[in-house]
Amino acid sequence: MSMTALSSAGERDRLIVKLGELDRLFCLALILIAGIGALMMFSIAGSNWEPWAGSHLTKFTLFFFMMIALAMIDVRYWFAMAYPIYGVGLALLIAVAVVGDVRLGARRWLDLGPLGSFQPSEIMKLGLVLALGRFYHGISAERARFSWWLLIPALIIGAPVLLVARQPDLGTAILLALTGLTVVCLAGLSWRVILAGIIALLVSVPPVIMFVLHDYQRDRIFTFLKPESDPSGSGYHILQSKIALGSGGLLGKGYGLGSQSQLNFLPEKQTDFIFATLAEEFGFVGCMVVLFLYGTVIFLALRTAALAHSHFGRLSSAGVTATFALYVLINGAMVMGLAPVVGVPMPLLSYGGTVMLTVMIGFGLVQSVKVHRYSEVTSGTGALL
Amino acid sequence: MAEPSIFFSEVNERQGAFHRRAFLLGGLVGTGLAALGGRLAYLQLVETNRYAKLSSSNQFNFRLVPPPRGVITDRHGVVLATNRPNFRLLVSREDGAEPEAILNSLSEFVAFDPSRKARLIRDLENAPKHTPVSIMDDLTWEEFSAINIRAPELQGVTADMGEVRVYPHGGAFAHVIGYVAKVNKADLTPTGPNSEPILLHPGFRIGRQGLEKSLDLDLRGRPGGQKVEVDARGRQVRQTSDGDIAAIPGKTVQLTLDADIQTRALEVFGQESGAAVMMDCRSGDILCLVSAPSFDANGFVRGMTGPQYQALAEYDHKPLFNKALTATYPPGSTFKTMVALAALEYGIDPQATHVCNGAWAWGGRVWHCDKHHGVVDMHSAISTSCDIYFYQVSLMLGPDRIAEVARKFGLGEVFDIGIPGQKPGLVPDQAYKRRVFKKDPVWHPGETPSMGIGQGYTNVNALQLCVMAARLANGQKALHPRLIEAIGGVAQPAGSAVSDLNVDHRHLDFVRSAMAAVTTTGTAAATAQLGLGDLKMAGKTGTAQSHSYGGGRGVHGTQGAWALRDHAWFVAFAPLDNPRYALSVLVEHGGFGGDSAAPKAREIMRVALMKDPELRAQIEHPTPMPDIPPEAVAEGSAPPEPTPIGPEGPIP
């Protein structure tokens, strides 16, 4: 199939061509990460597929094909659905604030009866990126730099962030805020505003910590600053994680031989702290391989964003990438004792269907942008609907 | 080659800005990932040794292992106290586990009665978290293995194998050896050996009574350490045999006691209350030290219920009380041996006679004797235990001369045999009255006749009377009793390594022959026959008032309430010609010494004599009668015993 053939009209709408346009290296990196995650889960379950490894692989396989299916959807449909998805997400966040289930002291879950329950903030991670992409698609670089128009993205970001922070779910709120701000910056926000924002943020951090945060959130931050002060209490997670990492050394203790994770010293070893399990059993080398895979995924996704012809495609896929990168960086920093313990998993490596679903839907959008990078997306309804 | 693209300048500006900033974002993410890599390198390459240490201190715990407690044996190596394996059920309170729920799930395997369950729940709630509390001892193997298999599901439950103290002879040695028990808060001290952490181990027991208490530090041993792999809850996952520190067992303690004599001695008391002490009168070794009735010391190791303990504590025969050492009684007529010796030493003629017609008026009182003995000299006064004779002789001597001899023979003395809490008793003299009776510091002559028959202020314990008998029998040495033969193989000083008695041996011979007459023609003639051929036992009976009879002379209390009856004594040694064993027997409220104590002494003495290999040979092969010439053997009778060819026998 030559470039000439691809340039002919309608050729790019053929399914086989679209499948060929998928980023194969990107897919390979995703499979490797999820596979390594399953490998670790198999180890910490005592060489057992139950309860995590098998389920993890099954879900990943399902979501991987779902990602490919989503990638086949024209980017114009994504464009058309951007506001509706955001709207549904926002409505659910409001609903959860009113009727949500309280679990572990936080009102985050919405009970769907027989379908189980889910956290609407997950929908918002995608909805926010889509809505911002759609908004910036329609305004000029001048307005995106600095104008009254920016009140709209401020509202788009602010509403869900506040609702999620009120649940309270500080980790997700910060993630949403950072994702949204990243998109705003990518869209061309004035450097002066960015600089002023950073300074304002730094100044406002101490009072926010003292007066706005909940006790448990403040505890986590203080614990992070001085974990040794309370090794059996709230400093336990960080300390045990660092012990797991450090004792792994260059090559690790060997597969299935990590005493920290096998003997349950490591808390949440299959979810938030799976990276520490990996570090303990495979050492520095294993960690660098996984970080390299994550770097590959992020680089390929950003390249996809850069190659997109539509501004919506660029911004939304870059937003998804930013979310993913934030997951990786925050979780990595947390596991290594560089950030407070916030409930942010290592995407695809950690056990847990919700985040994997969110990430894979997001990557479905990224691959859709890749496959449909030449699509013309006009303003309004996206010219399709 | 033409690819569709948009060429609006406005759009190109947006695209340009995005490209620059996406590039920057990529750089930032790359920097972040690099920072993580750097942090990893720091933790995993630079600091790895430190974290490896922390990791292994997480993974491995040293568990204290209680040392096996030292074994206690008798003189022949018969085990009197040892340890046996004990399958034990331990429960520790973990997070979120209700003690009641744990016990309920355990009742599938073992039975708890409701009161025990309530107590265990309270114990568990009071215990600190993660500290194992012993729930049940002596599980059967089936129970142990069933629980062990299910232990991972039962939060906080472990079944382990420890050791528990066991006294195989039950009650026979309970007063000597004592017992061990769980450690109390009162046992713990901030410093010294009782501050060691092993005392907090649920399997550790501390010596609570007797030798277990006084030799506790010797018997205790040194705890070992066991390296175990644990999980985050402190639950044992695996044992690793490398890196264990072996526990050092406690020292073996060998006693001078003979298990057979001791067991028989307790047996002959039956339901009666009393004490018996036997010594080897050549070495001073205590062969038996019994207090009856006794109790099963194993009960204290297990821990008794309230009613069980109450039954022991409230019984009027006082089984928990060591009557051989910690109780004193008037010696009664057994003391007459001392008065007689004092008289001989003072120079009173033993041939001099007194007339006994059952009563003697002196000092405005009538002094009684239990019989009309008629004309008595010293020899017959001892053998028939005439009080009238000794009233008068003691008046000639005065208290100080009697006391001097009595003390020489060990009365009123506390002998350090390793058991604490002995009572010294009292041998009174004028100095004693001056010292104690501030208002009336004078010895009245009327107090002397009572002392002459072993009453009044005079008080002794069974061990002292046994020492007295042993010193009388030995004649040479002021023997000391010895109970502990060796600790950890180190022999303790022998009781014969002491100074001489310094009593004229003719006087001793006289008293001994009078004591021989006690068992042939005297007060114990009917009850002290050993039935072992030539082997004879000498002794002296004693019947001591346990309380004042009130106005005038009452009957000897052999009738009426048990607690008002007289105490019966018998001191003895055997064999007569070459004494080896000395014995004192007390029967609390037993009535007459000859009727009650002497038969028990006879039975105990028989065991000792028959266990002695030389004496046994003598009993089984009596030396031929010298007055029967060999030719007098009738025709057809069995040929004479062939002369055994010993090592020094004639060489054919």
Side-chain angles (χ1 to χ4, degrees), chain B residues 52-95:
Chain B
K53 258 184 220 146
L54 286 172
S55 162
S56 74
S57 79
N58 261 348
Q59 187 183 1
F60 297 108
N61 266 1
F62 267 98
R63 295 256 162 103
L64 279 175
V65 179
R69 201 170 166 85
V71 172
I72 302 177
T73 70
D74 84 340
R75 62 189 299 113
H76 302 300
V78 176
V79 171
L80 308 181
T82 183
N83 313 297
R84 63 175 168 76
N86 172 28
F87 297 115
R88 203 172 36 171
L89 184 56
L90 300 172
V91 171
S92 59
R93 206 153 51 89
E94 307 289 347
D95 294 312

Side-chain angles (χ1 to χ4, degrees), chain B residues 17-262:
Chain B
F18 177 83
H19 279 167
R20 286 192 297 277
R21 296 200 175 185
F23 189 75
L24 200 65
L25 176 66
L28 277 174
V29 171
T31 311
L33 287 176
L36 291 185
R39 175 71 174 171
L40 276 174
Y42 173 73
L43 289 174
Q44 298 196 294
L45 305 180
V46 181
E47 291 268 87
T48 181
N49 285 338
R50 186 178 142 226
Y51 286 111
K53 258 184 220 146
L54 286 172
S55 162
S56 74
S57 79
N58 261 348
Q59 187 183 1
F60 297 108
N61 266 1
F62 267 98
R63 295 256 162 103
L64 279 175
V65 179
R69 201 170 166 85
V71 172
I72 302 177
T73 70
D74 84 340
R75 62 189 299 113
H76 302 300
V78 176
V79 171
L80 308 181
T82 183
N83 313 297
R84 63 175 168 76
N86 172 28
F87 297 115
R88 203 172 36 171
L89 184 56
L90 300 172
V91 171
S92 59
R93 206 153 51 89
E94 307 289 347
D95 294 312
E98 281 297 311
E100 186 161 8
I102 299 174
L103 292 184
N104 283 340
S105 56
L106 281 176
S107 53
E108 266 181 64
F109 308 101
V110 289
F112 298 108
D113 57 67
S115 67
R116 185 179 169 78
K117 196 167 155 186
R119 203 181 74 210
L120 290 173
I121 289 173
R122 205 177 54 236
D123 285 356
L124 273 171
E125 277 165 355
N126 292 338
K129 267 191 183 177
H130 310 303
T131 304
V133 173
S134 179
I135 292 291
M136 189 168 267
D137 284 306
D138 288 329
L139 301 178
T140 63
W141 170 250
E142 284 75 20
E143 288 169 336
F144 174 75
S145 45
I147 290 171
N148 231 3
I149 288 168
R150 294 279 305 277
E153 304 160 34
L154 303 165
Q155 205 185 11
V157 173
T158 42
D160 76 347
M161 199 187 83
E163 282 193 328
V164 70
R165 196 65 159 169
V166 62
Y167 304 106
H169 292 267
F173 295 88
H175 295 100
V176 178
I177 290 175
Y179 47 84
V180 295
K182 284 178 185 167
V183 178
N184 286 338
K185 273 192 187 126
D187 296 323
L188 301 174
T189 53
T191 54
N194 279 4
S195 65
E196 283 174 21
I198 187 68
L199 267 77
L200 301 174
H201 192 282
F204 188 83
R205 294 288 182 275
I206 196 167
R208 179 70 71 224
Q209 284 291 333
L211 292 173
E212 292 274 27
K213 183 180 184 180
S214 56
L215 300 180
D216 194 38
L217 295 184
D218 289 311
L219 291 166
R220 206 181 268 185
R222 288 254 299 283
Q226 189 183 47
K227 194 177 173 189
V228 289
E229 192 173 354
V230 294
D231 67 8
R233 291 189 172 280
R235 198 194 294 248
Q236 181 176 328
V237 180
R238 264 181 293 272
Q239 266 188 31
T240 51
S241 52
D242 58 315
D244 283 5
I245 301 165
I248 299 170
K251 291 175 186 164
T252 298
V253 171
Q254 189 177 16
L255 303 183
T256 60
L257 296 177
D258 184 304
D260 293 325
I261 303 174
Q262 178 93 1

Side-chain angles (χ1 to χ4, degrees), chain B residues 272-537:
Chain B
E272 286 182 274
S273 173
V277 183
M278 179 184 271
M279 280 167 67
D280 184 319
C281 51
R282 295 165 299 177
S283 64
D285 284 357
I286 298 175
L287 297 173
C288 99
L289 187 84
V290 162
S291 175
S294 192
F295 60 93
D296 186 1
N298 294 307
F300 281 93
V301 180
R302 268 182 246 121
M304 272 189 272
T305 63
Q308 278 174 330
Y309 180 78
Q310 231 172 349
L312 283 176
E314 288 173 4
Y315 183 36
D316 63 354
H317 284 38
K318 293 186 177 151
L320 295 177
F321 197 54
N322 187 349
K323 297 182 188 90
L325 299 175
T326 55
T328 60
Y329 306 86
S333 303
T334 60
F335 194 66
K336 287 171 183 166
T337 54
M338 296 294 98
V339 180
L341 258 184
L344 292 169
E345 296 276 293
Y346 181 51
I348 290 171
D349 180 10
Q351 310 297 330
T353 57
H354 294 268
V355 177
C356 166
N357 47 26
W360 176 59
W362 181 81
R365 284 177 64 189
V366 179
W367 302 78
H368 290 270
C369 190
D370 64 327
K371 271 194 184 122
H372 296 253
H373 290 107
V375 178
V376 286
D377 61 2
M378 189 184 284
H379 197 276
S380 60
I382 293 174
S383 68
T384 60
S385 202
C386 177
D387 290 349
I388 305 285
Y389 179 90
F390 281 98
Y391 292 143
Q392 297 176 49
V393 168
S394 60
L395 276 171
M396 291 181 216
L397 291 166
D400 290 7
R401 290 197 187 87
I402 302 172
E404 188 195 333
V405 171
R407 290 191 186 126
K408 215 178 236 184
F409 280 80
L411 303 185
E413 187 177 338
V414 169
F415 296 99
D416 179 19
I417 57 170
I419 299 182
Q422 296 181 43
K423 288 265 171 59
L426 177 66
V427 178
D429 55 12
Q430 296 188 43
Y432 160 76
K433 282 222 67 172
R434 277 198 297 277
R435 199 172 62 243
V436 177
F437 291 77
K438 298 292 183 202
K439 284 182 186 161
D440 181 22
V442 185
W443 183 276
H444 298 287
E447 289 166 336
T448 312
S450 297
M451 184 180 180
I453 60 161
Q455 295 282 162
Y457 301 119
T458 324
N459 257 304
V460 297
N461 68 28
L463 175 65
Q464 290 165 355
L465 275 190
C466 183
V467 170
M468 180 189 87
R471 286 181 182 179
L472 275 172
N474 182 290
Q476 282 284 318
K477 299 275 185 186
L479 282 180
H480 258 261
R482 179 175 77 154
L483 180 62
I484 300 160
E485 190 161 325
I487 297 174
V490 180
Q492 303 297 297
S496 55
V498 288
S499 56
D500 283 351
L501 196 57
N502 282 328
V503 176
D504 191 325
H505 69 89
R506 286 167 304 174
H507 300 160
L508 285 167
D509 284 345
F510 180 87
V511 173
R512 281 201 293 256
S513 78
M515 287 172 77
V518 168
T519 60
T520 49
T521 59
T523 47
T527 49
Q529 299 307 317
L530 291 173
L532 293 176
D534 291 345
L535 294 181
K536 298 290 180 197
M537 175 169 76

Side-chain angles (χ1 to χ4, degrees), chain A residues 154-178:
Chain A
L155 207 65
I156 291 176
I157 298 168
V161 166
L162 284 177
L163 281 168
V164 172
R166 258 179 53 86
Q167 286 179 345
D169 185 355
L170 191 68
T172 308
I174 290 175
L175 199 72
L176 282 175
L178 286 177

